[in-house]
Amino acid sequence: MTTPFVIDNFTYHTIAGDGGVDLTVAVGGHGPAVVLLHGFPQTHYMWRHVAAKLATDHTVIVPDLRGYGASGKPVADDPGTYSKRTMGNDVVAVTRQLGFDQFGLIGHDRGALVAVRAGLDHPEAVRYLGILDVLPTLDTWAVLHGVDAKVAWHLYLMAQPAGLPEKMIAAVGPEFFGSFLDAWDPTGTTFTRDERDHYVDSSVAAIDSIVADYRATASVDLDMDVADRERGAQLTMPVGVISQDWGAQLGFDASALWRAWAPDLTYRATGSGHFMAEENPDEIVTFITALAGRAPDTGHRSTR
């Protein structure tokens, strides 16, 4: 890697995900595996502080999601190309090639949606599931009503048919992506200028695939959640959620929404902003460590 935006003391690999898409993956530490999935508009680099702390007693696996950062960005010529099912399959493929058939899975924002889908589709692989600052796809759309839904305006923009959203965002790419980094950082001090530029530049280089990821959330991903709700599917592993209290603004009970999907749930609100893994990494490490402690010891974590 020639970029300075790497996790210190981690080794970088190019590993084939679902369908052979190349994923850039940072790996460090020793012990049971935990996978960290980044959100929007970011890359795996958002986990640098948390990953370094977890690496003392975990093998920490930190990919760029397909369509983001240095990972492959296939053309979205099929509705499934950026479905969370496909992206969850990427995670399972990566961990297996690294020698782990079971792992803990932690996701932030978009990465959390991938993590939830992986937990529903691969319960035998996901030992515990951690969710940072997001709702399930089905519930996200259900809680957005009236003028309060303007907080999620970008969801509606990127849900539109291919073509116009990409052109609109490309016309003001740095301003578009930078606006979220600024608005969701309450202290204004979470990122250095170079870190902010890294996230903006990486996102501008991935407009088509990022929009495709979001578009899937209003189509194929939503269909999957509806089907799972109708058949009563649930997350069977221990699940932890840490989130800002969006429910106070939008009028929902996040804990209750999550408990419908995850009977073995712990939920806590945080005083940190959306980028909590960078704003308060110690809080997130404590959250992950406690969650890992709730997972049953299956005695079969690694094929290495």
Side-chain angles (χ1 to χ4, degrees), residues 120 136 138-139 228-229 232-235 253-265:
L120 290 166
L138 176 60
D139 298 292
D228 279 340
R229 176 56 57 83
Q234 291 184 314
L235 296 160
D253 181 344
S255 178
L257 292 177
W258 273 111
R259 202 169 298 279
W261 292 97
D264 187 2
L265 175 76

Side-chain angles (χ1 to χ4, degrees), residues 146-198:
V147 69
D148 287 335
K150 69 180 183 296
V151 71
W153 65 276
H154 59 298
L155 299 183
Y156 295 92
L157 171 62
M158 291 191 275
Q160 303 309 309
L164 187 58
E166 292 87 345
K167 291 178 181 177
M168 293 174 67
I169 294 169
V172 289
E175 293 84 357
F176 177 80
F177 294 111
S179 70
F180 299 103
L181 294 167
D182 297 339
W184 296 343
D185 176 16
T187 69
T189 61
T190 299
F191 315 116
T192 66
R193 171 55 61 177
D194 286 346
E195 289 164 354
R196 184 184 183 281
D197 288 348
H198 163 67

Side-chain angles (χ1 to χ4, degrees), residues 85-278:
R85 172 162 290 155
T86 299
M87 296 169 83
N89 290 344
D90 285 339
V91 174
V92 173
V94 164
T95 56
R96 286 178 177 167
Q97 289 174 75
L98 289 170
F100 293 92
D101 57 7
Q102 292 185 322
F103 49 90
L105 184 55
I106 311 297
H108 175 253
D109 188 79
R110 307 303 297 171
L113 300 181
V114 175
V116 170
R117 177 47 53 191
L120 290 166
D121 288 354
H122 303 281
E124 76 291 344
V126 181
R127 297 182 59 240
Y128 57 89
L129 182 62
I131 306 300
L132 277 62
D133 218 32
V134 81
L135 289 176
T137 297
L138 176 60
D139 298 292
T140 295
W141 291 112
V143 303
L144 296 173
H145 301 290
V147 69
D148 287 335
K150 69 180 183 296
V151 71
W153 65 276
H154 59 298
L155 299 183
Y156 295 92
L157 171 62
M158 291 191 275
Q160 303 309 309
L164 187 58
E166 292 87 345
K167 291 178 181 177
M168 293 174 67
I169 294 169
V172 289
E175 293 84 357
F176 177 80
F177 294 111
S179 70
F180 299 103
L181 294 167
D182 297 339
W184 296 343
D185 176 16
T187 69
T189 61
T190 299
F191 315 116
T192 66
R193 171 55 61 177
D194 286 346
E195 289 164 354
R196 184 184 183 281
D197 288 348
H198 163 67
Y199 293 137
V200 168
D201 292 345
S202 296
S203 297
V204 168
I207 289 172
D208 288 0
S209 51
I210 289 175
V211 175
D213 168 33
Y214 272 85
R215 184 175 291 117
T217 301
S219 54
V220 62
D221 296 338
L222 181 59
D223 292 342
M224 290 176 191
D225 271 21
V226 169
D228 279 340
R229 176 56 57 83
E230 289 177 348
R231 69 184 180 88
Q234 291 184 314
L235 296 160
T236 56
M237 67 290 298
V239 176
V241 176
I242 184 168
S243 181
Q244 297 178 95
D245 188 13
W246 287 107
Q249 176 180 349
L250 297 174
F252 64 86
D253 181 344
S255 178
L257 292 177
W258 273 111
R259 202 169 298 279
W261 292 97
D264 187 2
L265 175 76
T266 58
Y267 176 88
R268 60 176 295 183
T270 178
S272 298
H274 181 64
F275 302 110
M276 56 191 73
E278 290 163 287

